Amino acid sequence: MTRVREMLSLARVPSILVLGVVYVTYVLIGGVIFWKLEGDLGQKDIGRLLTSKKNLLTTYTCLNQDGLEAVAQVVQDVSKVGLSLKGNHTTDGFWKFTSSAVFAATVVTTIGYGNMSPSSTAGQIFCVFFALFGIPLNMVVLNRVGKYMLVMERNISDFLEGKTGRRKCTRFFVHLVSYLSGAVLFFIGPMIVFQLREGWTYSQAMYYCFITLSTIGFGDFVADSNPDKEYPDWYSVLMASWIFFGLAWLALLINHSIDILERLNTHFKQRCGGQRQEGETGGTERDNPDTQADEEEIKTPPIAQ
């Protein structure tokens, strides 16, 4: 057994290479699953749309291919500015103050739905510089808010530890309550609001909540953007607040998950590699980039409380 451990330590693969292989494999597996789940459905959608196009040209004989393309262009242009084609009423479009403020929030948070974007040259240039300084500022603020959330958790945990004297159980309970309350506040509550205000299903609303707070931002579902609905001003303010604090909470949750994975990684390294003497591995570990990275993480000062 000792001989096998020595051989494994000699043939040790850098962890960055292992992580790279795992990452690429994970992405490829995801691509295969999406291909199988959505590929056939996409082909059915294409066939259905071609049939609808044929029926449209058959029904409206005065509409030829050029006319259909012109109508499609009008529909596309109208949807880009947030106007409605239903009825005779008009709307204010996307670029109201409230929706513009939400758009600014999606820029600095890198969500970028894509349902609205600046079309003027001045607006595009301003967007570049606004994002250039706004994205780092947003990261700093979110990091600070996340630290305050973590400090609150630790203070509550320390208080309960002093009352109960059970450290592990208390920390587990505090983390569990934090996760559940965050899920209710940033997922379940908004999911119900979006289902009522937007008319989505619960699964669509939950999907939108995660796609938004993870900053993926596909743009297939976007709240406060339906031109056929009238939204109160408080709705945009509520959305912007939800995005900001939800991002901070999800970042805290991801940091907890990373911490758990790193602890598991350290545990398995100790089990597989065993305890090595400092004199045997001192020079090797200093030349190892993985060890250097670990030392840099250890030297990083803890979060100030």
Side-chain angles (χ1 to χ4, degrees):
M1 186 66 179
T2 305
R3 183 65 178 172
V4 173
R5 288 181 177 178
E6 291 178 356
M7 292 176 63
L8 289 174
S9 62
L10 291 175
R12 184 178 169 185
V13 180
S15 61
I16 185 64
L17 182 60
V18 176
L19 287 175
V21 172
V22 172
Y23 177 78
V24 173
T25 303
Y26 186 79
V27 171
L28 292 178
I29 291 175
V32 170
I33 294 176
F34 282 124
W35 176 39
K36 293 298 183 182
L37 291 176
E38 301 292 334
D40 294 338
L41 184 61
Q43 292 297 325
K44 292 179 181 178
D45 288 340
I46 292 174
R48 179 176 55 81
L49 290 174
L50 291 176
T51 302
S52 299
K53 174 186 174 182
K54 183 179 179 181
N55 293 335
L56 185 64
L57 292 174
T58 303
T59 303
Y60 302 97
T61 55
C62 60
L63 188 66
N64 55 17
Q65 181 65 31
D66 294 336
L68 182 61
E69 292 178 1
V71 171
Q73 185 64 46
V74 171
V75 173
Q76 183 179 0
D77 293 340
V78 166
S79 63
K80 287 179 66 176
V81 298
L83 297 179
S84 175
L85 289 174
K86 296 182 179 180
N88 295 322
H89 69 282
T90 59
T91 59
D92 296 331
F94 281 143
W95 296 106
K96 300 178 294 185
F97 171 74
T98 52
S99 56
S100 298
V102 173
F103 170 76
T106 61
V107 170
V108 298
T109 55
T110 70
I111 296 174
Y113 290 123
N115 65 313
M116 57 186 296
S117 57
S119 56
S120 65
T121 303
Q124 293 170 352
I125 294 175
F126 173 75
C127 185
V128 170
F129 288 99
F130 180 74
L132 186 64
F133 294 99
I135 292 174
L137 176 63
N138 177 75
M139 293 177 64
V140 170
V141 174
L142 285 181
N143 184 45
R144 182 60 60 89
V145 173
K147 285 182 179 180
Y148 276 113
M149 289 182 176
L150 186 59
V151 168
M152 290 176 60
E153 280 189 22
R154 288 178 176 176
N155 290 338
I156 295 174
S157 179
D158 293 340
F159 174 77
L160 294 178
E161 283 176 20
K163 296 293 184 180
T164 61
R166 296 183 178 182
R167 185 171 184 270
K168 291 184 177 180
C169 294
T170 302
R171 289 189 178 275
F172 174 78
F173 175 75
V174 171
H175 286 318
L176 180 62
V177 172
S178 175
Y179 294 154
L180 292 178
S181 59
V184 171
L185 188 60
F186 299 112
F187 274 91
I188 298 178
M191 180 181 68
I192 296 174
V193 172
F194 292 139
Q195 193 274 333
L196 295 175
R197 300 294 307 183
E198 304 292 339
W200 298 336
T201 63
Y202 286 113
S203 60
Q204 291 172 339
M206 181 180 66
Y207 164 80
Y208 167 74
C209 289
F210 181 79
I211 293 300
T212 296
L213 296 185
S214 61
T215 71
I216 296 174
F218 287 130
D220 48 352
F221 291 94
V222 181
D224 194 21
S225 64
N226 190 342
D228 298 318
K229 292 181 178 291
E230 293 185 3
Y231 299 98
D233 292 338
W234 61 262
Y235 190 62
S236 299
V237 176
L238 183 65
M239 267 197 62
S241 303
W242 166 70
I243 289 175
F244 177 78
F245 290 103
L247 284 174
W249 174 79
L250 191 61
L252 180 64
L253 183 63
I254 292 174
N255 286 333
H256 278 310
S257 302
I258 291 174
D259 182 61
I260 293 173
L261 291 176
E262 288 180 346
R263 290 177 183 273
L264 289 175
N265 182 42
T266 303
H267 175 73
F268 285 125
K269 278 184 178 180
Q270 292 176 352
R271 290 291 300 274
C272 295
Q275 298 295 334
R276 300 176 182 176
Q277 294 183 357
E278 184 177 357
E280 296 178 354
T281 60
T284 304
E285 290 183 352
R286 277 192 292 269
D287 296 334
N288 190 344
D290 299 332
T291 307
Q292 294 175 2
D294 292 339
E295 290 177 353
E296 290 178 359
E297 291 179 359
I298 294 173
K299 292 179 182 178
T300 303
I303 297 173
Q305 296 190 20

